[in-house]
Amino acid sequence: MELLCIRQWISGLLPTWLSAWCIKPVGGALVRQEPEYILLALMGSPLKKIMLCSSEKEIFSVEEQVMVQHSVIINNMIEDGSYNHEESKIPLDCVDSKTLKKVIDYCTHHTHHHNDNQEDLEAWDAQFLNVDSNGLYDLLMAANYLEIRNLLDLIYGTIKNMIKGKKIDEIRRIFNIKDHGFTPEEEEQNRKEYPHFY
Amino acid sequence: MDSPCDSVIGDRDLLTEILLRLPVKQVIQCKCVCKKWSSLISNTKFPYSHTCRLYHKYNNNPPPTALLVQNFADTKAQRASIVPLHANDNNDNKMFFHLDLDGCNYRSSIMHSCNGLLLWNVIPTSQPGPTSEDSRACHFRIHNPAMSDDQCVYLDYPVGDVDSPYGDDIFEPFELKAYLVFEPLKQPLSYKVILFGQMNPSVIYYGRRVGFKVLNPRIEIRLYSSETCGWSEVICNLPDGLRVTEGVYCNGAIHWFRLDHDNSVYFDTNRLCFDKLPAVPSVDDSCVKYFGECRGRLHLILSDTLEFDIWELEEDYSSWVARYRVNLNRMHDGESALWWNVSSNPFSVLSFVHRQEEEEENSMLVLFKNGKIMSYSLEDYGLRVLCKVYRDEVPRSIHQYFETLLCVGNS
């Protein structure tokens, strides 16, 4: 039976309060560990984990399989052998802890729930992206850096919906564009030619 | 430190990715948002990347977003009404397309719409005065109406019969049909204009010694290619009995359908020759109710009743297949069922727009009756009025249109 199935089977058996107790120190930081991992570690068959280090020097431990499936950058690092499981961690200096945790959440959910039906996944995605706009842009930059295709498509789709049906003044407000850079004549010309955009 | 928002839109690659995913109308809107966005969009690579993405999404055949209907009786207005095909497009649109012309001295009409570009025919109605700057003879104009009018190609009419002693007269057929061949995915951008002219019979007198030459009524074909920047005459075998009537352009060929004598032909603009279309399996009491094109396929409706089939020509031109069954007795306006008043004028079919299963919108027929243009959904039988023209005669000049970012300028 595949390791992933064992893990899911165990997690199904355990009560949820148990996860609150499963904390272990890793690399000088405290990391929340899902109980099934601890059990598996106790059983002597740990799943391969990798360490990601945020810009705030916080370490996150995550299943290698999860990150390799979603992030092209991490997949390449592991394949070309530049990552050593025993000691090294992957430094992600342009991603802060809050964003990195969200990214890991996304990848983990999509790996573990990839057999779910489309509607459930979409509902989860919608809930996942229910963040303020700064959080959204941070996620976009992180997903771009890590090259996570499906998260990128999801965020671009959300931004597209933010712009849809809006007038130009609203779009300028949404993107914090204070100075549009057109001369008064150019702005006048635009307003004359496309009055329905304003 | 920059806010995350500033970092994202300050990054050229990320901003490009965001803009590439927007529909064309929104990209044009974003051109007006700020100078930086405008220069990114006008950069030569962006329109092409955007077009490639859009075409890829629709399997190289994007659906039309509107129909262009010319108001012929309204000669002063000289414009084409834009009839949006979908409800959510109604509020933020221009109402008309027209050229910026001195209306008193010129008459203009749309000859053809191809992949977002329009081909206009511009004819002076009187002798242009010596002082008018825009004093040109008959010519064609090609432009992208969604973008500003700066980039517009002017094409003078080709020269007439070079053997005629009237020398430099322009090509002046009795009946003229013109088509624009524009394939946007080819780089570098190029286009062709094909003219079919029904020439008058005429007699040319060469002088007492030589005598007369009689030119019979005939069809002449002229081709303009943007690659050669010149007109040429196309010499090929013409099918018997070919008349210059409104043809249907599809996939690089112009098609004419005739029910009698198995006489349906098409002209291939690459091979520059005529070929035959396959015959339709014969139906009783058939008449050509509709012959048109949508998204790279030809469609035909042969029956005048309320229940009929829509025939589609196979991609390899091997045969016609009855692809859709339409029953106009089943229709509703969203609230209650509707019935045709069959004793009055029959309806006319202006267009058939088909959508694939994956797409959100339904396949629809665009019908005209009693001065109203309506869309009838083939999936949910809903009838929706698109626009009212307040005229009883069927609009003759209908063109399918969708916006594009690409422009062909005078280079």
Side-chain angles (χ1 to χ4, degrees):
Chain A
M1 208 165 135
E2 210 196 84
L3 270 175
L4 206 59
C5 301
I6 298 177
R7 197 202 64 77
Q8 282 174 328
W9 174 70
I10 294 176
S11 77
L13 296 176
L14 296 173
T16 44
W17 57 259
L18 193 56
S19 17
W21 289 91
C22 295
I23 306 173
K24 71 178 215 188
V26 174
L30 287 178
V31 172
R32 189 178 143 266
Q33 192 78 54
E34 276 117 326
E36 48 271 25
Y37 288 128
I38 303 216
L39 267 177
L40 281 171
L42 290 174
M43 281 159 60
S45 53
L47 286 167
K48 245 200 212 169
K49 303 294 226 74
I50 55 174
M51 310 291 195
L52 302 178
C53 179
S54 75
S55 59
E56 291 148 351
K57 305 294 177 235
E58 199 178 328
I59 311 271
F60 292 84
S61 167
V62 63
E63 273 174 55
E64 175 183 310
Q65 203 48 35
V66 162
M67 289 317 292
V68 153
Q69 253 177 28
H70 286 94
S71 164
V72 175
I73 294 289
I74 293 186
N75 183 44
N76 291 347
M77 271 190 205
I78 297 201
E79 275 197 0
D80 70 18
S82 56
Y83 178 72
N84 178 340
H85 279 94
E86 298 304 322
E87 337 182 348
S88 47
K89 49 190 192 291
I90 301 181
L92 300 171
D93 289 331
C94 40
V95 187
D96 65 21
S97 296
K98 181 169 143 217
T99 311
L100 185 53
K101 180 167 191 325
K102 284 279 280 186
V103 169
I104 293 175
D105 264 346
Y106 177 87
C107 299
T108 313
H109 181 93
H110 275 259
T111 301
H112 295 164
H113 292 250
H114 74 279
N115 282 330
D116 280 8
N117 69 43
Q118 202 55 30
E119 284 163 12
D120 287 342
L121 281 176
E122 283 175 10
W124 190 91
D125 284 344
Q127 181 57 31
F128 174 79
L129 283 184
N130 194 8
V131 291
D132 69 352
S133 53
N134 279 341
L136 189 68
Y137 297 123
D138 281 332
L139 266 175
L140 175 58
M141 289 192 284
N144 183 46
Y145 178 71
L146 290 169
E147 288 184 45
I148 303 175
R149 190 79 262 152
N150 44 357
L151 180 57
L152 272 175
D153 285 341
L154 186 65
I155 299 177
Y156 285 131
T158 305
I159 296 180
K160 173 174 149 182
N161 288 336
M162 275 163 56
I163 304 182
K164 192 167 163 174
K166 300 281 195 313
K167 303 288 179 191
I168 289 195
D169 289 330
E170 290 170 291
I171 296 180
R172 285 175 180 160
R173 244 196 323 272
I174 290 172
F175 290 105
N176 206 20
I177 296 172
K178 300 212 171 66
D179 174 20
H180 53 68
F182 289 122
T183 67
E185 293 81 33
E186 286 169 335
E187 177 77 356
E188 175 70 33
Q189 176 68 18
N190 284 341
R191 279 183 192 262
K192 216 174 80 173
E193 202 160 330
Y194 306 109
H196 45 281
F197 286 153
Y198 287 86
Chain B
M1 200 172 87
D2 272 345
S3 77
C5 175
D6 293 332
S7 304
V8 165
I9 61 171
D11 182 324
R12 206 175 169 80
D13 291 333
L14 287 179
L15 181 61
T16 303
E17 285 295 316
I18 292 174
L19 295 173
L20 274 180
R21 283 161 167 80
L22 298 177
V24 177
K25 276 212 264 279
Q26 300 231 265
V27 174
I28 297 172
Q29 184 180 25
C30 287
K31 263 186 81 154
C32 303
V33 166
C34 76
K35 192 92 173 174
K36 196 156 161 262
W37 290 23
S38 173
S39 71
L40 194 151
I41 292 168
S42 308
N43 158 351
T44 42
K45 296 227 171 67
F46 185 87
Y48 182 70
S49 311
H50 188 276
T51 306
C52 284
R53 249 191 105 88
L54 185 75
Y55 276 57
H56 182 76
K57 178 174 164 195
Y58 289 113
N59 206 18
N60 283 353
N61 283 306
T65 57
L67 287 185
L68 304 181
V69 180
Q70 300 223 87
N71 303 335
F72 275 118
D74 200 359
T75 46
K76 274 216 169 114
Q78 305 233 23
R79 54 197 183 182
S81 304
I82 305 170
V83 180
L85 289 173
H86 300 291
N88 48 7
D89 285 350
N90 274 341
N91 296 331
D92 54 346
N93 241 347
K94 286 204 240 194
M95 298 286 289
F96 303 102
F97 284 149
H98 59 90
L99 289 182
D100 203 8
L101 287 178
D102 180 3
C104 305
N105 287 329
Y106 290 92
R107 223 177 56 228
S108 67
S109 58
I110 296 180
M111 302 297 284
H112 191 219
S113 153
C114 182
N115 284 324
L117 296 186
L118 297 184
L119 176 70
W120 292 79
N121 189 12
V122 183
I123 300 179
T125 48
S126 56
Q127 277 299 103
T131 54
S132 75
E133 287 167 1
D134 199 12
S135 56
R136 292 176 95 105
C138 297
H139 62 277
F140 296 106
R141 290 201 201 180
I142 302 172
H143 78 139
N144 177 348
M147 310 288 268
S148 65
D149 266 344
D150 291 350
Q151 296 202 56
C152 179
V153 173
Y154 293 77
L155 274 188
D156 287 320
Y157 268 35
V159 170
D161 188 352
V162 284
D163 288 333
S164 127
Y166 307 114
D168 294 326
D169 271 6
I170 57 167
F171 182 67
E172 260 185 317
F174 175 61
E175 271 293 337
L176 173 68
K177 298 290 175 225
Y179 301 92
L180 173 65
V181 181
F182 173 56
E183 303 294 333
L185 299 182
K186 266 170 47 179
Q187 280 282 56
L189 280 187
S190 65
Y191 57 89
K192 291 191 265 204
V193 177
I194 310 246
L195 306 183
F196 293 87
Q198 180 92 41
M199 309 305 285
N200 270 329
S202 53
V203 176
I204 302 176
Y205 179 62
Y206 282 96
R208 208 154 53 86
R209 290 264 180 93
V210 183
F212 297 91
K213 179 173 170 187
V214 176
L215 297 175
N216 291 322
R218 65 203 182 285
I219 293 178
E220 283 189 14
I221 307 174
R222 299 302 170 92
L223 171 69
Y224 177 89
S225 162
S226 64
E227 283 161 15
T228 59
C229 290
W231 290 98
S232 58
E233 186 167 359
V234 175
I235 314 282
C236 65
N237 287 330
L238 298 177
D240 296 331
L242 178 71
R243 304 276 304 283
V244 174
T245 53
E246 198 67 54
V248 172
Y249 172 81
C250 173
N251 285 339
I254 297 133
H255 309 75
W256 292 272
F257 185 81
R258 284 186 44 188
L259 208 52
D260 53 326
H261 311 300
D262 192 19
N263 220 349
S264 306
V265 292
Y266 67 95
F267 178 77
D268 186 327
T269 60
N270 291 319
R271 292 179 298 139
L272 296 181
C273 65
F274 282 89
D275 220 330
K276 285 184 92 146
L277 282 178
V280 182
S282 60
V283 184
D284 291 337
D285 295 336
S286 31
C287 63
V288 184
K289 183 93 177 162
Y290 170 73
F291 176 55
E293 176 267 347
C294 183
R295 304 180 70 181
R297 295 299 188 95
L298 285 174
H299 296 107
L300 186 61
I301 296 175
L302 287 176
S303 144
D304 215 355
T305 61
L306 288 179
E307 255 190 79
F308 51 83
D309 287 325
I310 301 180
W311 298 83
E312 186 178 276
L313 186 63
E314 294 278 33
E315 210 168 335
D316 57 4
Y317 282 39
S318 56
S319 61
W320 290 92
V321 174
R323 189 123 300 157
Y324 307 89
R325 176 105 211 143
V326 179
N327 182 353
L328 288 177
N329 285 312
R330 303 184 66 177
M331 60 167 61
H332 62 87
D333 63 359
E335 289 168 7
S336 49
L338 296 174
W339 288 273
W340 288 112
N341 182 354
V342 283
S343 58
S344 65
N345 299 339
F347 62 91
S348 306
V349 180
L350 300 185
S351 187
F352 171 59
V353 179
H354 83 92
R355 309 295 303 242
Q356 312 283 20
E357 273 170 35
E358 314 82 71
E359 295 165 25
E360 288 167 11
E361 289 88 7
N362 294 335
S363 297
M364 63 161 93
L365 272 176
V366 180
L367 307 172
F368 176 84
K369 187 170 161 71
N370 294 339
K372 288 190 269 208
I373 298 181
M374 303 167 278
S375 77
Y376 171 74
S377 159
L378 262 60
E379 258 96 85
D380 64 22
Y381 315 118
L383 189 73
R384 196 165 57 84
V385 176
L386 297 177
C387 106
K388 299 184 181 155
V389 293
Y390 300 114
R391 218 166 268 132
D392 273 339
E393 74 259 22
V394 182
R396 288 257 160 255
S397 169
I398 311 281
H399 301 274
Q400 288 185 0
Y401 172 76
F402 59 85
E403 295 89 354
T404 186
L405 290 177
L406 297 170
C407 295
V408 285
N410 283 313
S411 48

